[in-house]
Amino acid sequence: MHTRRRGSSGSDRPTADEPPEWSDVDEDAIEERVVELAEQGHDPSQIGLKLRDEGVQGTPIPDVKLATGKKVTEILEEHDAEPELPEDFRNLLEKAVRLYEHVEENGQDHQNKRALQNTQSKIRRLADYYRGDELDEDFTYSHERAKELLE
């Protein structure tokens, strides 16, 4: 978005219509584990990784949506356990706060000043997308507001 480089190609997940035979865990057990991990403070992407690596009752879950028919965020919404901020927005806010504090200490770091400007631009663009649904109608980005939201 903010560079001249092109994206790097990566591997795609194999297309599958049903979960593998070796991963036959009950849907309710998966949903309980998702809610449990969310209550421990994990983000939806971290929940997916934990289910892939650790699984439920010792059986890995390669894809939650294939196993349950619902995405991790949909499961969290049903059980009123979703985070107050969307994960992508929260990650950008954390990055902006870190960059802002770094630039305050190191005023001559022009590369990170530019990175902060780019990150703030992404935050404003994403705030327009989430405004009204996930964010207040009158939300405007500022460093102080970002620190408040992250606490």
Side-chain angles (χ1 to χ4, degrees):
M1 178 185 300
H2 291 295
T3 62
R4 294 187 190 104
R5 288 181 247 125
R6 297 190 177 123
S8 60
S9 63
S11 61
D12 293 330
R13 282 190 298 173
T15 57
D17 297 335
E18 53 194 42
E21 298 168 3
W22 50 265
S23 179
D24 57 350
V25 180
D26 184 38
E27 292 179 18
D28 295 330
I30 295 172
E31 289 189 19
E32 287 175 19
R33 181 72 174 141
V34 167
V35 173
E36 177 185 323
L37 289 170
E39 289 172 352
Q40 292 175 5
H42 296 291
D43 292 329
S45 62
Q46 292 172 333
I47 292 172
L49 292 175
K50 284 200 169 286
L51 290 177
R52 183 198 67 191
D53 297 339
E54 299 170 6
V56 177
Q57 302 162 350
T59 305
I61 309 297
D63 191 351
V64 174
K65 187 171 181 185
L66 281 179
T68 63
K70 297 179 257 188
K71 295 181 180 180
V72 173
T73 53
E74 292 173 353
I75 294 171
L76 295 177
E77 285 175 13
E78 285 180 4
H79 294 280
D80 294 325
E82 73 268 15
E84 62 270 359
L85 288 175
E87 185 178 7
D88 53 352
F89 191 70
R90 181 178 187 79
N91 291 339
L92 280 175
L93 288 177
E94 288 174 356
K95 181 176 182 179
V97 167
R98 275 195 323 267
L99 282 170
Y100 185 87
E101 291 169 357
H102 173 79
V103 168
E104 286 292 310
E105 294 174 10
N106 306 287
Q108 296 298 312
D109 192 350
H110 299 292
Q111 187 173 358
N112 279 325
K113 278 185 185 177
R114 176 72 176 148
L116 176 61
Q117 290 172 349
N118 290 342
T119 303
Q120 289 172 339
S121 174
K122 290 177 188 178
I123 288 172
R124 289 187 187 100
R125 190 176 300 116
L126 200 55
D128 287 341
Y129 177 77
Y130 285 126
R131 191 171 286 122
D133 295 333
E134 310 286 334
L135 298 173
D136 297 334
E137 284 289 336
D138 59 344
F139 176 83
T140 55
Y141 169 77
S142 69
H143 173 68
E144 294 78 24
R145 182 79 190 264
K147 286 183 79 168
E148 285 176 18
L149 288 174
L150 292 175
E151 291 175 354

